[in-house]
Amino acid sequence: MRCSRNQALAGALLVVAYTGLIASADGITKLLAGQYAAAQLYALSGAMVAGFCLLADRLPAVRGGFRTKCPRAMALRSGATLVAAVCFFYAFRLLPFAEVFVFIGLMPLLAGAMSGLVLKEPVRPAAWAALGAGFAGVLFLFPGGVASATPGHLVAFAAAVSGTFSMTLARFIGRYESNSLAQVFYPNLTLCLVMLVLLPFVWVPMPLADAGWAAAYAFLLFGARWLLVVALRLLASYAVTPLMNLQFIWMAVIGAVFFGEFPPAATYFGGAIVIASGLYLVWDQFAPAMPRLRNPGRLQTDP
């Protein structure tokens, strides 16, 4: 049990680090989305992230090559990552930064459903209650209400669905192999190759500063995705995704400081509910079924 708790703690800390890295990468996406097409950013960043994977694999402590025992699942994960990346790119172009978080906040509910269907992981009733509370918090985050949905909101929802599916597949693959770099390499190689086909039709010359931002984005994305793949091996996916909602704090700060976006008080209230539900699900990982005294002198365990 101690090992299980240590794994849960390590997974939780990795996800916290992930939220900071991915929120920073999302900020760069929003910065560049108004000036360039998705193909231009992702052809460059996908190539750089794949290159970082090749370099990292040269380290003796990491070296494991890029063979996979789950080629079909890896192909599905790569395709889902491609769809999620493109959808999030245009969601950041069409919606305020903090508003995109509304759909990131939906990912725990989606992960709960997908983990049951794809991974056959049982989700405790109390955890479903926490997921429901998180969804209620998401409703607070929606500034204009559900009836005010726009094409940008639909694109963001598609991003949440495909992104959650990609993460669920990452946990599935992690059951059969521990080669985390392969799970970062193939999705980004796919992203690069697909976007290279479209690149000649959308290319716009990039000043050196914007090329630097693209490189920074690739570096942050590489670190974030590597951490997330490792975390998904240590912590159940329905607990990882709520903890990812901590990135709301990062997104609110980045939106205010760099883009002048100040969400209303209801947004912060909803964010607090979502984050609280995520912390509860992490605690649920720390507290597996314990013996309980149901009758005097007799110890039983939960079924």
Side-chain angles (χ1 to χ4, degrees):
M1 187 172 299
R2 181 176 179 83
C3 180
S4 176
R5 291 183 178 182
N6 287 340
Q7 287 182 353
L9 177 61
L13 292 176
L14 288 174
V15 178
V16 171
Y18 163 84
T19 61
L21 294 177
I22 199 65
S24 300
D26 288 342
I28 296 175
T29 300
K30 185 171 180 65
L31 177 68
L32 298 178
Q35 307 173 58
Y36 305 99
Q40 184 157 343
L41 174 62
Y42 291 135
L44 295 174
S45 64
M48 285 188 279
V49 173
F52 292 151
C53 291
L54 292 172
L55 291 175
D57 187 60
R58 304 299 298 172
L59 298 174
V62 179
R63 184 173 299 174
F66 297 101
R67 292 183 179 179
T68 177
K69 299 177 182 177
C70 307
R72 283 182 289 187
M74 190 71 78
L76 284 173
R77 171 168 158 75
S78 298
T81 301
L82 170 66
V83 173
V86 174
C87 289
F88 271 123
F89 180 91
Y90 287 105
F92 284 123
R93 173 181 286 186
L94 297 170
L95 298 175
F97 201 48
E99 197 166 328
V100 178
F101 175 80
V102 173
F103 298 93
I104 296 175
L106 289 176
M107 293 174 75
L109 275 175
L110 298 171
M114 289 185 189
S115 63
L117 293 172
V118 178
L119 304 176
K120 310 301 181 185
E121 292 180 348
V123 182
R124 301 180 186 183
W128 279 115
L131 292 170
F135 179 72
V138 167
L139 296 181
F140 279 98
L141 298 178
F142 219 126
V146 177
S148 63
T150 67
H153 297 125
L154 297 177
V155 171
F157 181 72
V161 172
S162 53
T164 305
F165 185 54
S166 174
M167 289 188 295
T168 304
L169 288 171
R171 183 162 175 81
F172 175 83
I173 296 169
R175 289 178 170 179
Y176 302 97
E177 59 186 49
S178 59
N179 188 357
S180 304
L181 272 180
Q183 291 209 52
V184 180
F185 175 74
Y186 288 112
N188 282 280
L189 180 63
T190 301
L191 192 61
C192 172
L193 294 177
V194 172
M195 294 304 166
L196 278 176
V197 175
L198 302 174
L199 187 59
F201 304 100
V202 298
W203 172 261
V204 175
M206 295 183 79
L208 186 60
D210 287 352
W213 281 118
Y217 168 81
F219 182 77
L220 291 170
L221 192 66
F222 167 72
R225 288 183 173 170
W226 194 358
L227 290 179
L228 183 60
V229 168
V230 176
L232 285 166
R233 288 209 317 267
L234 303 176
L235 206 59
S237 58
Y238 74 83
V240 168
T241 45
L243 190 58
M244 286 167 56
N245 287 332
L246 290 172
Q247 73 188 82
F248 170 70
I249 298 173
W250 299 104
M251 295 177 77
V253 171
I254 292 172
V257 173
F258 295 100
F259 301 103
E261 297 174 353
F262 297 92
T267 302
Y268 292 103
F269 184 67
I273 295 175
V274 170
I275 290 171
S277 69
L279 293 177
Y280 171 79
L281 288 182
V282 174
W283 175 85
D284 189 60
Q285 285 284 292
F286 278 82
M290 298 288 290
R292 294 181 183 176
L293 189 61
R294 294 182 177 175
N295 296 311
R298 184 182 178 187
L299 283 177
Q300 294 182 349
T301 57
D302 290 336

